[in-house]
Structure formats: C-alpha cells, structure tokens
DNA sequence: TGCCATGATTACTA
DNA sequence: TAGTAATCATGGCA
C-alpha cells in the first residue's frame, strides 16, 4: 500500500520529462500536440497526487473527472507496466503460513474448558479434580460448582460477544478495503490476487487481536479455576464419619503412643481418603485436645475401648490379625498393619482386671485393646495424679508432666522375649 | 443466632 | 522437621 505514492512519483518523473523509459504508447503521442498531452498527463498526475488533500465531495468529483479523462487509458497502461515490474517482489509474501501453534494451544484449551465450541457444562472437570483432591468429600460442593459454572458461562458469553464483534469488525473492514481496492482498480491495475493478499494481511492483523482475546479468556478461565480449586481445598470440611471412626479407633487403640509412623499415617490417609497432612493435623489436634480435657473424651475412649475389645476378641478367636496401621518404631514389618506390637505377644492382662490371663497370645490389636482398657480403668480411678503404686495403669500415654513420654513405643516397652505372664513394664509401676 | 466441634494455620521448640 | 500450643475459621446443631 505504502509503495503506491512512490510508484506514482516515479511515473510522474517519467511521464513528464520524456524519459527513455517512457512507454511506447506515450512516446508515440509526441508531435505537434505532444507537449499538450504531456501537460495533460502532468495535470492528471498532479490531480491524483493532490486528491487526498481534498474534501470527500471534491475528491469524488475529481475522481469522476479523472475516470472520464481521455488520457486515463494511457495512464492505466503505464501503471500496468510498472506493476508488472514490481509485482515480482511481493510474490514471496503470498505463501500460506502454517497455523500458529500458540493459537492452536489456546483454541484447544478454550475447547477443553467449554468456552469455545459447544457448551458442555464447563467446570465439571475442575470440579471433579477438586473433589478428588479434597479426599472425596466434595459431594456437597454443588454451590461452588454452580458458582464456577456461572462464572465460566459469563466468560464464555463475553468471549463469544467479543469474538462476534471481532469477526464483524474484520468483515466490515475487509469489505471496506475490498471496495476501496475495486474502486481504485478503475484508476490503477489491481489484480484479484492482490486483493486476496490484502485481505489475508487484514485477517492476519485481526488474528493477532483474536489471539489476544483468546489469551485473555484463557487467563480468566485459569484464574477462575485456580480460585475455585483453592477455595475448595482451603475450605474446612469435617471428615466423614467413617474417617473419624478410623482415626479415633487408631488413636484410642494406640493411646499409649498416639504417634503414627509415616507408614501408618499413609495407611490411615488411604483408608480415610484424606491426605497424610490431614492425618497429621488430626492427630496433632487430637493429642492436644485429649490432653487438655481427658474427662471429656472419657465416653469416647470407653466406646472405642469396648469396640476394640470386641474386635480383638473376634480376631483372636478366628486366629486372624487385626488390620490396624503400625505404630512408629514397631518391631513388625514396616508399613504392615499386622503384628506391629509383636513385643506384646506374650502379655498378661492380669494387671487389667485382676484375673489371670496367663499365656494368652494376643496380637497387636490386643495390645491396642489393652492400652485403651488401661486408659479407661485409669480414668475411673484418677489419671495423672494416679501414678501411684495403687494405680493399675500407669499410662504409657500422658506422663506426670502432662505429655506423652518421648520414646516408649509399645514394642520397646515390653520385651518380645518376655514369656507368658510377664507384665508390661508400665504396669509394674 | 450463638455455641461448640473441628480442621487448618502459625509461631515456636526440641 | 515433627510436634505442641494457640488461634482462626468454618460447619453443624439446638
């Protein structure tokens, strides 16, 4: 486009000065009235050059006059020849460009999010991912989901409105340029290919705007999505009943040392469909709150003690092992649920109820049961002050300082080599 | 709506 | 770095 004035200038020089390069049809116009014709051409060119300085009406009138001018065909031929020489330089630019990979990525993302393409209830994927990430407790997230979907729908609407505007503007501008070029083709040679090329240039320019729109939309969707997921993840949700039961069961059955190992935490996390961090949080909170208000947890402890006892009885009568995550530093195989407290295999429960229970080979679950029962018993007869000789249970749990002892784990408290009838070291207190 | 329970966060400690 | 203690924020219930 911007080379047009240059072409005009060069031609002006040629046409008016009778340059050797002057086309034959104009050279042939020499003779008696040659000067007059040259003058005419000069006038025409002058008019063309100044046409942009004029008002629209004036320019229209001038344009019409030019179109009707007798020298117009000659000028047109000159321009055709100049065009022939220069058109070679623009051929290379007409090659088809491959689709922009970034644009393709944006398109794919918008399609995946349901922003472009057919509406598909966008947000379902994000919602599902969030629900999964929050440990399967996302069943009641419908409010967030609908909010997310509503906002996504807004984005979609804005995107389509803007896209429509863009397409409309692009079409309008293209039509305008094409009309302009067609109009100009009356005074200068413009091939359909050139018009096509011009249209593709316009489309490319508009494509960059479209890309910006898509980019902004993608950003908006990503921000919305991350906020939605963040909110979902951050929001406190009570663990489901089953998860709490599992955690409590573990806590009360390992009351002597309620510090699950990493493996145990992982196992609990898996069973409860929560994260390991949540398990850690839960145990942290539980230990503190239990210690602060033991009395309050009495009933709960009793309940789990009874339950654990029943489970243990069932398990031992069936010769099976309880499926309970291992405690830290357990003598059993790491990460294994069974027999983690093998050191308590031969344990006398005599100290618990006064009845002799010599030689009972009980597993880890029974140790847990014992822990809990001891606790319950100790509760009935006092707790922390009860570290006296009369106390049947000196809790491996909370010590005189109000905290669980540092090291003693069930497996370390009782020697695995102790025979039947041996007494748990703690109970000897 | 207030209260309690509870999961999460933060500062601190050993 | 795991655990403690304090605290915050939210859910759930009467």
């Amino acid at each position: 486009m911007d080379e047009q004035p240059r072409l005009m200038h060069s031609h002006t020089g040629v046409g008016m000065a009778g340059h050797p390069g002057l086309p034959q049809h104009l050279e042939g116009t020499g003779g008696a009235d040659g000067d007059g014709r040259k003058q005419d051409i000069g006038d025409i060119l002058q008019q063309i050059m100044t046409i942009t300085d004029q008002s629209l009406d004036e320019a229209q009138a001038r344009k019409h006059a030019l179109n009707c001018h007798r020298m117009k065909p000659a000028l047109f031929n000159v321009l055709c020849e100049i065009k022939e020489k220069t058109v070679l330089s623009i051929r290379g630019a007409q090659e088809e460009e491959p689709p922009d990979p970034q644009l393709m990525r944006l398109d794919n993302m918008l399609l995946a999010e349901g922003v472009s393409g057919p509406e598909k209830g966008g947000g379902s994927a994000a919602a599902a991912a969030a629900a999964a990430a929050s440990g399967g407790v996302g069943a009641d997230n419908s409010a967030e989901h609908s909010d997310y979907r509503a906002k996504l729908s807004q984005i979609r609407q804005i995107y389509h409105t803007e896209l429509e505007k863009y397409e409309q503007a692009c079409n309008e501008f293209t039509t305008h340029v094409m009309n302009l070029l067609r109009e100009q083709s009356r005074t200068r040679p413009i091939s359909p290919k050139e018009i096509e090329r011009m249209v593709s240039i316009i489309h490319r320019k508009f494509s960059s705007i479209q890309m910006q729109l898509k980019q902004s939309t993608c950003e908006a969707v990503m921000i919305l999505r991350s906020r939605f997921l963040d909110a979902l993840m951050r929001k406190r949700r009570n663990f489901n009943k089953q998860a709490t039961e599992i955690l409590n069961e573990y806590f009360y059955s390992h009351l002597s040392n309620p510090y699950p190992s990493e493996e145990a935490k992982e196992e609990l996390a898996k069973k409860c469909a929560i994260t390991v961090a949540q398990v850690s949080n839960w145990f942290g909170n539980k230990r503190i709150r239990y210690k602060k208000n033991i009395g309050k947890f009495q009933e709960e402890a009793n309940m789990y003690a009874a339950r654990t006892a029943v489970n243990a009885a069932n398990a031992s009568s069936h010769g099976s092992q309880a499926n309970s995550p291992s405690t830290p530093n357990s003598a059993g195989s790491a990460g294994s649920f069974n027999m983690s407290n093998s050191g308590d295999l031969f344990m006398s429960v005599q100290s618990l109820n006064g009845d002799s229970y010599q030689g009972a080979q009980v597993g880890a679950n029974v140790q847990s049961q014992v822990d809990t029962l001891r606790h319950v018993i100790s509760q009935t007869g006092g707790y922390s002050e009860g570290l006296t000789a009369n106390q049947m249970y000196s809790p491996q749990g909370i010590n005189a300082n109000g905290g669980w002892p540092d090291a003693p784990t069930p497996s370390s408290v009782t020697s695995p080599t102790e025979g039947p009838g041996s007494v748990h070291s703690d109970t000897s207190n």
Side-chain angles (χ1 to χ4, degrees):
Chain A
M1 281 281 256
D2 54 356
E3 58 192 300
Q4 186 182 338
R6 215 169 40 242
L7 293 175
M8 297 297 187
H9 273 298
S10 64
H11 177 67
T12 305
V14 168
M16 293 203 300
H19 191 272
L22 191 70
Q24 280 298 310
H25 47 85
L26 286 184
E27 289 283 13
T29 58
D33 56 350
D35 287 343
R37 287 187 181 175
K38 278 179 188 172
Q39 185 61 45
D40 282 344
I41 292 169
D43 285 346
I44 294 167
L45 291 172
Q46 193 58 39
Q47 285 174 33
I48 291 169
M49 293 303 292
T50 56
I51 204 163
T52 52
D53 299 332
Q54 296 160 352
S55 71
L56 202 62
D57 288 341
E58 209 178 345
Q60 285 289 350
R62 190 65 61 87
K63 201 170 72 181
H64 181 71
L66 278 171
N67 282 335
C68 302
H69 200 281
R70 62 194 173 89
M71 292 301 289
K72 191 203 150 188
L75 177 65
F76 196 87
N77 283 341
V78 172
L79 292 173
C80 277
E81 288 195 11
I82 295 169
K83 189 92 180 186
E84 275 295 309
K85 290 173 188 166
T86 57
V87 77
L88 293 168
S89 63
I90 61 169
R91 267 179 198 149
Q94 289 181 325
E95 284 160 14
E96 280 286 316
E97 283 179 15
D100 186 347
Q102 197 188 346
L103 191 61
M104 281 172 70
R105 269 200 300 274
L106 292 172
D107 280 337
N108 286 340
M109 186 190 163
L110 291 172
L111 203 62
E113 288 295 330
V115 175
S116 64
E119 193 158 15
K120 53 170 193 175
S124 308
S134 58
V137 290
D140 54 344
N141 292 328
S142 54
E144 288 92 339
H145 289 187
S146 60
D147 189 40
Y148 177 85
R149 274 196 289 269
K151 283 182 176 149
L152 196 70
S153 172
Q154 269 184 344
I155 292 174
R156 182 186 158 89
Q157 203 173 343
I158 292 167
Y159 171 76
H160 282 289
T161 310
E162 291 298 315
L163 201 67
E164 215 168 290
K165 276 188 202 166
Y166 145 78
E167 274 165 4
Q168 200 180 337
C170 182
N171 287 340
E172 276 175 16
F173 189 71
T174 306
T175 310
H176 176 71
V177 169
M178 281 172 77
N179 287 339
L180 211 63
L181 289 173
R182 281 199 199 99
E183 182 69 28
Q184 285 189 5
S185 69
R186 294 174 66 185
T187 49
R188 68 185 181 96
I190 301 174
S191 66
K193 270 202 167 181
E194 272 181 290
I195 296 176
E196 206 177 293
R197 177 173 164 264
M198 194 56 66
V199 167
S200 79
I201 289 170
I202 294 166
H203 282 177
R204 267 206 298 277
K205 293 283 178 197
F206 272 91
S207 273
S208 67
I209 301 169
Q210 189 186 27
M211 184 130 91
Q212 281 173 19
L213 171 67
K214 287 180 176 176
Q215 212 156 8
S216 303
T217 310
C218 278
E219 277 170 21
V221 170
M222 285 170 86
I223 288 167
L224 173 70
R225 191 174 172 150
S226 72
R227 278 185 189 165
F228 169 73
L229 290 172
D230 278 358
L232 213 61
M233 293 296 285
R234 247 201 314 272
K235 209 167 188 178
R236 189 181 75 75
R237 295 192 172 281
N238 290 350
F239 298 157
N240 62 38
K241 203 177 167 187
Q242 197 188 355
T244 312
E245 296 250 317
I246 291 167
L247 293 167
N248 270 317
E249 213 165 286
Y250 186 96
F251 181 81
Y252 287 112
S253 64
H254 295 82
L255 206 51
S256 59
N257 191 35
Y259 297 88
S261 63
E262 272 308 304
E263 290 84 358
K265 281 181 190 172
E266 280 170 24
E267 204 59 52
L268 285 167
K270 213 156 115 186
K271 284 176 88 176
C272 301
I274 58 177
T275 64
V276 173
Q278 284 177 307
V279 172
S280 296
N281 278 341
W282 190 92
F283 273 89
N285 285 325
K286 190 73 181 180
R287 282 190 297 263
I288 291 286
R289 285 162 186 166
Y290 177 83
K291 208 161 80 176
K292 271 186 176 173
N293 198 350
I294 295 167
K296 199 180 80 179
F297 291 96
Q298 183 64 60
E299 202 178 327
E300 194 176 62
N302 290 345
M303 189 186 78
Y304 282 101
R307 190 180 298 181
T308 311
V310 170
N311 287 345
N314 287 342
S316 57
S317 71
H318 288 98
S320 63
Q321 302 295 338
N323 187 22
S324 169
S326 60
T327 49
N329 311 317
S330 67
S333 57
S336 167
F337 268 10
N338 55 1
M339 300 301 292
S340 62
N341 299 319
S342 55
D344 297 311
L345 268 175
F346 302 99
M347 171 195 252
S348 169
V349 194
Q350 185 177 15
S351 61
L352 286 171
N353 52 15
D355 295 336
S356 179
Y357 186 59
Q358 302 288 333
Q361 295 194 5
V362 291
N365 54 325
V366 178
Q367 166 61 31
S368 303
Q369 167 202 7
V370 169
D371 281 345
T372 316
L373 287 173
R374 277 173 176 169
H375 163 72
V376 172
I377 292 163
S378 74
Q379 288 301 301
T380 59
Y383 201 78
S384 52
E385 311 86 35
L387 301 175
T388 63
N390 289 337
Q391 282 301 315
M392 298 176 79
Y393 173 49
S394 169
Q396 301 164 34
I398 300 168
N399 59 26
N401 296 326
W404 277 276
D406 285 340
T409 60
S411 56
S412 63
V413 169
T414 309
S415 164
T417 56
E418 284 176 327
S422 67
V423 177
H424 198 291
S425 59
D426 276 3
T427 59
S428 63
N429 294 331

